[in-house]
Amino acid sequence: APSLIKSRSHCSLCAPNLVSATPPTLVSSANLTTECDEFDESKVTEVRVYEGEAAVFRFPLSTSSTVFNNYCANTGFKIDWYKNQSDGHLQQPVLWPRISQEGERLWFHPAEFNDTGQYICTVRNGTFCAKIPVWLNVVQRAREICIAEPAGISTLVKIPLEENRIVTCPDIEDFRHPNRNFSVQWFHNCYPHPNWQGDRGIENDKLVIHVMRENYQGNYTCMVTYKFMGRNMSFTRVVTVEPVSPSGLPKNPDIQTPDELHVFTLACTVFLPYLSEEQSEPQVWWEIDGHKVNLHGDTRITSIVLMIALGDRTIETTLQIQSFNSQDLKRKYTCNAANSRGNVSRKAVIQYEGHPPHIELGCGLGIPLFLVVVLFGLYHLYWLELLLLYRSCFRSNEVLDGKDYDVYISYARNSEEEQFVLLTLRRVLENELGYRVCIFDRDSLPGGTITDETLSFVSRSRRIIVVLSPLYVLRGTQALLELKAGLDSMAQAGDLRVILVQYQPICRSSWAQELRRARVALTLIQWKGEKSADLSSRFWKQLQVELPVRRIKDSVNSSELPLCSKHKYIHT
């Protein structure tokens, strides 16, 4: 990026070449500048250069400065450069030959990254002394010759389209010397000059754009090289070219909207076939309230021939009404066409289009959306009740499938679970919901075989409720036999469904294989103690969804029930 100096002047205007370029020594200047006037730090000049490239400082005061004019009014003043050290002391940064002072200018051949910092330019004579700070920022860059993206450090040049412009490499004048020759290379977005196309070129080391085009915009990099004391020196600058509108166009402000006149246009398109015998031209005209509008005398009327093919013509005539108002809506507009074969006419109906019905559309879309949200919320809250209502109205009664029992309850044999099954689960199912419940320990006959009777009860039931608890998963128990029988019957015949009721939490790592297989395919209903005791709780609603469809009025008399159901009424 270019070395940009916000405000600088040439002290040589009043005292050129006051200090020679002979190699001085490092001098500590802590006391030399203590009595000098401080310059306003808000006006500190910043110079940006790339690391490894040449750089130059000039006397930073502008010619309009009062301090500068006061010093220039006196003869014999001297300019010195110092670097502000970290401890606050000033030191002459002259390291010949890399850093040298020529007149009012401080040269870097080249600048290194450690040169970054604040420099002080002192101007003094026997009467006056002032300190002017300058900030040097040495920026690291890639090793490529071209700089495609200067990261905001560039010179902006705006060129009007279709115009020419000569662009000089920035700061090249600061490096000119009578005994120094320059070599300049130009790149456009890192494409070298020989590969350019169009109305561009290089003349006397300057970029010449003969005719500005939009595709000429971008970053132009100039690489300047020269010899200094037998060493190759260079500095790189970037010029960002931006196209703007041609300067020849009108530059006065123009209000495009709103229009001064409200123009309403009516179009009439007429097809006129070719007639060899007709003596006069066909006519197309407009009438307003029965009065013909003069096509040639009214500036509001225009006529355009759209197409001519094989002598046939299609003509479009437009009627433009300026300053259209509500009174024009009441008039009658008629398009007429005539040739030697006849006349035709057609009315143009103008209707007032009011504002779009935003409120009506909003309500029309908002109300259905609101209803959908409300219905979705109600379904989310009461989906179990809705499902039970649907089952009671549309599902067929399952009591006619020939089975003896509605529910067979399987559980681990211990006092706590047996109390839950007999006093809570059985009581609600039999007394409140009217189901036929079979419990092996209660309803089986003495002397029978456990395995045979278990399989018989399971096959004669429509549902099997498995009450899960930690004791249920123990192998070799009758509970696992009942679960396996229910799963096999469900998989083979399909007329039995297994319902899992979790009475107590079970560690999944201790589940038996039969229980793992059942949990994957079946829904688990959780008993939550007192929270689930009420008949309106979610537990009983979920359980009813899984139970057979059976209406209480369809229940038969106890004398007609099998042995399992007779025992049920005895215990009740």
Side-chain angles (χ1 to χ4, degrees):
S3 171
L4 299 178
I5 298 180
K6 299 178 182 177
S7 175
R8 66 187 181 192
S9 63
H10 311 293
C11 192
S12 57
L13 295 174
C14 53
N17 300 328
L18 294 179
V19 183
S20 63
T22 57
T25 59
L26 290 175
V27 179
S28 177
S29 305
N31 299 324
L32 295 178
T33 60
T34 55
E35 299 180 356
C36 293
D37 297 332
E38 296 286 348
F39 190 77
D40 186 4
E41 292 190 1
S42 63
K43 300 180 180 179
V44 174
T45 299
E46 180 183 7
V47 178
R48 294 185 180 183
V49 298
Y50 282 114
E51 181 183 14
E53 296 191 354
V56 60
F57 278 177
R58 287 205 175 197
F59 183 66
L61 284 179
S62 63
T63 56
S64 61
S65 171
T66 305
V67 177
F68 179 77
N69 292 333
N70 289 338
Y71 285 119
C72 284
N74 298 274
T75 59
F77 70 91
K78 182 182 178 182
I79 298 177
D80 289 315
W81 288 91
Y82 304 92
K83 185 175 182 181
N84 195 353
Q85 303 297 320
S86 59
D87 57 1
H89 289 75
L90 300 180
Q91 190 175 40
Q92 284 184 310
V94 182
L95 302 175
W96 183 270
R98 192 178 67 84
I99 303 178
S100 61
Q101 182 177 344
E102 297 181 8
E104 79 281 4
R105 298 191 293 179
L106 184 66
W107 287 88
F108 295 82
H109 283 102
E112 297 180 354
F113 187 75
N114 292 333
D115 295 331
T116 299
Q118 188 186 60
Y119 292 77
I120 304 296
C121 176
T122 62
V123 184
R124 67 173 65 243
N125 63 7
T127 306
F128 303 99
C129 180
K131 297 187 298 183
I132 305 99
V134 179
W135 184 266
L136 175 64
N137 188 4
V138 181
V139 181
Q140 293 180 331
R141 55 160 291 184
R143 297 185 178 275
E144 290 79 5
I145 296 178
C146 175
I147 302 176
E149 297 294 337
I153 309 175
S154 64
T155 301
L156 178 61
V157 177
K158 297 183 178 181
I159 305 177
L161 292 174
E162 305 297 329
E163 298 186 14
N164 56 16
R165 182 67 57 89
I166 298 177
V167 180
T168 305
C169 186
D171 303 328
I172 194 173
E173 296 298 328
D174 293 342
F175 292 85
R176 289 198 180 276
H177 193 276
N179 299 324
R180 186 177 298 159
N181 295 323
F182 291 97
S183 175
V184 183
Q185 285 183 281
W186 283 90
F187 303 86
H188 177 214
N189 295 333
C190 284
Y191 286 94
H193 163 246
N195 296 333
W196 293 358
Q197 297 179 355
D199 301 323
R200 294 175 295 174
I202 305 298
E203 297 180 5
N204 298 326
D205 298 331
K206 298 179 181 179
L207 169 64
V208 180
I209 299 179
H210 301 285
V211 180
M212 182 61 191
R213 312 291 184 187
E214 287 193 35
N215 58 331
Y216 293 170
Q217 62 182 335
N219 293 324
Y220 289 82
T221 304
C222 57
M223 181 71 178
V224 182
T225 57
Y226 61 91
K227 289 281 187 179
F228 177 76
M229 299 184 64
R231 299 173 58 192
N232 292 326
M233 290 292 148
S234 65
F235 62 91
T236 308
R237 300 293 183 264
V238 177
V239 180
T240 301
V241 174
E242 179 181 323
V244 294
S245 61
S247 57
L249 296 178
K251 300 300 181 180
N252 296 329
D254 181 24
I255 299 178
Q256 298 181 347
T257 58
D259 298 332
E260 183 179 0
L261 298 176
H262 302 284
V263 179
F264 184 82
T265 302
L266 287 173
C268 179
T269 304
V270 181
F271 174 73
L272 298 169
Y274 173 73
L275 294 176
S276 59
E277 69 275 17
E278 64 182 5
Q279 301 297 324
S280 59
E281 289 290 329
Q283 297 182 6
V284 180
W285 71 95
W286 280 96
E287 290 183 355
I288 301 178
D289 293 336
H291 300 286
K292 183 177 180 180
V293 179
N294 188 357
L295 180 61
H296 302 287
D298 198 327
T299 58
R300 301 183 300 171
I301 307 300
T302 59
S303 179
I304 303 174
V305 178
L306 297 181
M307 183 179 62
I308 298 178
L310 301 177
D312 300 335
R313 287 183 294 177
T314 301
I315 298 178
E316 180 181 282
T317 301
T318 59
L319 174 65
Q320 294 184 346
I321 305 174
Q322 297 181 0
S323 301
F324 190 83
N325 52 47
S326 59
Q327 296 296 328
D328 293 325
L329 292 173
K330 302 177 182 179
R331 297 180 179 179
K332 297 179 180 180
Y333 303 90
T334 306
C335 177
N336 299 273
N339 60 10
S340 60
R341 295 294 181 92
N343 302 335
V344 291
S345 63
R346 182 171 297 177
K347 294 182 179 180
V349 179
I350 301 178
Q351 295 181 349
Y352 174 74
E353 293 184 0
H355 297 288
H358 298 294
I359 298 178
E360 294 80 357
L361 290 176
C363 293
L365 296 176
I367 292 176
L369 180 61
F370 174 76
L371 294 176
V372 170
V373 173
V374 171
L375 292 176
F376 179 79
L378 293 176
Y379 175 78
H380 181 73
L381 293 175
Y382 303 106
W383 68 274
L384 286 174
E385 290 81 354
L386 295 174
L387 185 56
L388 290 173
L389 178 62
Y390 171 80
R391 280 162 44 90
S392 63
C393 296
F394 300 102
R395 291 288 297 273
S396 60
N397 200 333
E398 297 184 33
V399 299
L400 304 178
D401 58 359
K403 293 202 174 186
D404 298 327
Y405 315 116
D406 293 319
V407 180
Y408 180 88
I409 302 178
S410 174
Y411 63 97
R413 273 61 178 177
N414 64 77
S415 58
E416 184 178 357
E417 290 189 30
E418 187 171 2
Q419 184 178 10
F420 166 72
V421 171
L422 296 179
L423 299 182
T424 302
L425 193 58
R426 180 204 60 81
R427 177 182 58 83
V428 173
L429 293 177
E430 290 183 344
N431 299 340
E432 303 294 339
L433 302 180
Y435 286 104
R436 298 174 182 176
V437 178
C438 187
I439 301 175
F440 183 89
D441 295 338
R442 183 196 66 175
D443 301 325
S444 61
L445 295 176
T449 304
I450 295 178
T451 303
D452 295 339
E453 291 193 13
T454 300
L455 297 177
S456 175
F457 284 149
V458 170
S459 63
R460 294 157 58 191
S461 301
R462 300 183 179 91
R463 301 288 188 273
I464 175 172
I465 296 179
V466 178
V467 181
L468 298 177
S469 64
L471 295 177
Y472 193 92
V473 298
L474 298 178
R475 291 191 173 275
T477 62
Q478 182 180 351
L480 284 181
L481 173 62
E482 295 167 344
L483 174 62
K484 188 176 185 303
L487 293 177
D488 292 341
S489 178
M490 181 177 176
Q492 295 175 4
D495 56 351
L496 173 68
R497 291 177 57 184
V498 179
I499 305 173
L500 301 180
V501 174
Q502 180 176 297
Y503 177 65
Q504 293 177 347
I506 307 175
C507 181
R508 292 182 179 270
S509 60
S510 63
W511 284 18
Q513 182 179 0
E514 294 82 1
L515 187 57
R516 292 177 182 273
R517 184 176 59 175
R519 181 64 185 92
V520 172
L522 303 176
T523 304
L524 183 65
I525 305 175
Q526 296 183 356
W527 171 262
K528 299 181 180 180
E530 293 296 331
K531 186 177 179 180
S532 301
D534 190 84
L535 290 180
S536 60
S537 66
R538 188 179 184 87
F539 172 81
W540 295 110
K541 293 177 181 178
Q542 287 182 291
L543 188 59
Q544 289 183 72
V545 171
E546 302 296 331
L547 291 174
V549 177
R550 179 182 179 86
R551 301 178 179 88
I552 297 178
K553 66 180 182 178
D554 295 329
S555 300
V556 297
N557 296 327
S558 60
S559 60
E560 301 173 354
L561 299 179
L563 180 60
C564 180
S565 295
K566 289 182 180 181
H567 283 283
K568 172 194 71 172
Y569 281 96
I570 293 173
H571 283 275
T572 303

